[in-house]
Amino acid sequence: MATINGAVSHWFDELPQPRTGLPGDREADVCIVGAGYTGLWTAYYLKQADPSLRITVLEARFAGFGASGRNGGWLSGLAPGHRGLLARTYGRANVVAWQQTLNAAVDEVIAVAARENIDADIVKGGNLEVARNAAQARRLRAEADEDREWGTDGIELLTAAEAAARVRVDSLALGLFNPHCARIQPAKLARGLADVVERLGVTIYEQSPVSSISPGRAQTPTGVVRAPIILRATEGFTARMRGLRRRWLPMNSAMIATEPMPAETWAKIGWDGRETVGDLAHGFFYAQRTADDRIAIGGRAVPYRYASRIDRDGAVGADTISYLTGVLNTVLPQTRGVPIAHGWCGVLAVPRDWSAGVSLDPATGLGEAGGYVGHGVTATNLAGRTLTDLVLKRSTPLTDLPWVGHHSKTWEPEPLRWLGVRGMYTAYKLADRHEAGGRATTSPIAVVADTIARRP
């Protein structure tokens, strides 16, 4: 069978029939722009806290169209930000509390999915990070120490044999297991959550792109929604909105999914625990074993398009599919010859300091959450609960967390940001080759690239 290219993502068996668009001007108590995880979680918790609220969600295409329906399906406690930078500004204890709350949010999502009968193929198998050379192993040990220092419990360093007993990755040098992660089918979670909030009385208008937001109003081609509270949850699509082109960088991430693999192939691979799997290369990969026994794997093939351009419904170049197939076959040689069923891509939002933020201005009623740097599946849940507290003017432990009110600087104008991102990822590719050649420590090329990019 031919490989499907784009069509949003593999996670949609077929594209949903969109809900109706905004039919004209409307009024609400809260208007949420974006029907991805952030917007839907916010609507869910607001409606739970105050059922009388009139909540309207506006979505340009359909719920889950963006990163929420295209990601790698890691429901993890990974922090969407530079913990060291935030600690210098807001205090170490606050960042430890943030990390521990993110870890707990993994179980919160699982509990809500169970309570609301959302079938998202969830298996809490933890996350396995692997090192495949000496330099990666050195970074992996440092990551284990760092995660423990930031309050993550249950971290285990694994020998090569112990890691291979979980997943037989080629050239294993060291493994790191983190229990705070579950595999999910991301589009099922997004679409299921949209159905739940709609049943609770939230109004969702799809096919309703918002061109501009100002105090008290969200403008679409077919009408205006007026509300005292307007919350923006547009993540990687933020650059399309008026005045926000340099707010967050729309970073591109691509994925492929294999055809379902037979039992004899899985016997050679292992992966019985359904862990999510990634590595410590600078041009890293992330992967999962799906509910129907495929491998879905992703990475940064073409990380950024000039002038913050967005893909067209997830379509990728043939070279990207070939590149990711090569990564898969190198990491798991047992998959060589397995057909690739689907290739796609999507954008995630990256702030200039690589740290997400949640905010609400009580004077204007304008709020936002996002910039999750690829770690948003869990963080969006915490962001939704935090925005709920801010909207309802509740002072809680969530509103004291360090990402509340955090704003990063804007990105440089073009062509500087295109040259910078392209140069950074070229450097990472060179660094990976350098380290694969036997270097025992992190390549200085990567150190320089991290410093210039201010990447954690």
Side-chain angles (χ1 to χ4, degrees):
M1 294 178 64
T3 300
I4 299 171
N5 189 337
V8 183
S9 83
H10 172 74
W11 306 122
F12 293 95
D13 291 334
E14 58 183 33
L15 295 185
Q17 184 66 35
R19 294 170 171 85
T20 58
L22 180 68
D25 293 355
R26 293 291 186 272
E27 293 190 357
D29 298 312
V30 178
C31 176
I32 299 170
V33 180
Y37 292 148
T38 300
L40 295 171
W41 281 124
T42 303
Y44 177 79
Y45 287 106
L46 276 170
K47 202 65 174 173
Q48 293 280 343
D50 186 351
S52 70
L53 284 175
R54 297 172 301 159
I55 302 172
T56 295
V57 179
L58 298 174
E59 165 58 40
R61 293 288 293 278
F62 55 81
F65 173 79
S68 298
R70 308 191 201 187
N71 63 78
W74 286 30
L75 180 65
S76 80
L78 293 171
H82 194 316
R83 293 178 296 194
L85 179 150
L86 292 172
R88 288 193 293 274
T89 305
Y90 305 108
R92 181 178 184 81
N94 285 335
V95 177
V96 169
W98 183 49
Q99 179 63 74
Q100 292 176 336
T101 308
L102 283 163
N103 292 341
V106 173
D107 291 326
E108 169 68 8
V109 173
I110 295 171
V112 173
R115 184 168 65 243
E116 302 293 354
N117 296 311
I118 300 173
D119 178 9
D121 298 339
I122 299 175
V123 177
K124 191 181 181 187
N127 174 246
L128 176 65
E129 292 286 333
V130 296
R132 302 181 63 245
N133 58 49
Q136 290 182 23
R138 190 183 184 98
R139 288 197 294 276
L140 197 64
R141 290 188 182 93
E143 181 179 302
D145 291 340
E146 184 180 1
D147 282 344
R148 292 185 184 111
E149 289 173 4
W150 291 116
T152 297
D153 60 351
I155 295 291
E156 295 179 62
L157 270 176
L158 306 176
T159 66
E162 289 170 335
R166 291 177 177 270
V167 186
R168 285 185 277 283
V169 171
D170 191 54
S171 302
L172 258 173
L174 194 68
L176 174 64
F177 180 73
N178 183 331
H180 304 289
C181 189
R183 178 209 73 186
I184 69 166
Q185 207 280 28
K188 283 186 176 182
L189 178 60
R191 300 298 295 177
L193 193 55
D195 291 342
V196 168
V197 300
E198 202 167 43
R199 288 197 300 269
L200 291 173
V202 173
T203 302
I204 302 176
Y205 292 115
E206 298 180 337
Q207 310 174 84
S208 301
V210 173
S211 57
S212 65
I213 296 171
S214 57
R217 58 184 284 134
Q219 180 73 55
T220 81
T222 57
V224 175
V225 174
R226 293 180 175 83
I229 301 292
I230 309 282
L231 304 176
R232 182 175 57 75
T234 49
E235 191 59 2
F237 292 86
T238 299
R240 286 184 164 181
M241 300 193 69
R242 192 177 303 158
L244 296 173
R245 182 171 292 274
R246 292 166 54 195
R247 179 77 173 88
W248 292 327
L249 189 96
M251 186 75 77
N252 191 61
S253 195
M255 295 194 72
I256 57 172
T258 68
E259 293 287 355
M261 297 191 301
E264 53 266 29
T265 303
W266 284 112
K268 297 174 184 176
I269 296 172
W271 215 337
D272 297 330
R274 283 4 186 227
E275 303 92 340
T276 57
V277 179
D279 76 341
L280 265 288
H282 302 291
F284 57 88
F285 77 85
Y286 51 93
Q288 66 152 280
R289 178 178 178 176
T290 69
D292 59 351
D293 285 336
R294 306 170 190 262
I295 293 176
I297 184 170
R300 304 279 191 269
V302 181
Y304 176 68
R305 292 178 170 87
Y306 188 83
S308 296
R309 290 198 299 269
I310 306 296
D311 61 88
R312 186 179 295 275
D313 288 3
V316 294
D319 54 342
T320 294
I321 295 175
S322 177
Y323 165 75
L324 289 174
T325 303
V327 171
L328 172 63
N329 295 162
T330 299
V331 173
L332 291 168
Q334 307 92 322
T335 64
R336 288 172 184 165
V338 173
I340 303 303
H342 205 142
W344 72 97
C345 69
V347 290
L348 53 102
V350 178
R352 188 63 184 89
D353 62 1
W354 296 77
S355 295
V358 180
S359 64
L360 175 62
D361 183 347
T364 63
L366 298 179
E368 66 176 22
Y372 302 113
V373 297
H375 299 325
V377 179
T378 303
T380 51
N381 174 272
L382 179 56
R385 286 185 281 144
T386 304
L387 281 173
T388 294
D389 287 342
L390 293 173
V391 168
L392 299 179
K393 300 180 180 179
R394 302 189 300 205
S395 179
T396 70
L398 299 188
T399 61
D400 289 335
L401 293 175
W403 68 342
V404 176
H406 178 76
H407 288 277
S408 59
K409 294 180 180 178
T410 58
W411 282 85
E412 292 80 358
E414 295 293 20
L416 294 178
R417 66 178 179 270
W418 182 83
L419 290 170
V421 176
R422 188 175 181 84
M424 179 178 70
Y425 277 93
T426 299
Y428 287 150
K429 287 181 181 178
L430 290 173
D432 281 332
R433 289 181 199 158
H434 197 186
E435 293 172 6
R439 182 181 176 85
T441 59
T442 295
S443 169
I445 301 171
V447 174
V448 172
D450 285 343
T451 301
I452 293 172
R454 300 175 210 162
R455 187 177 177 187

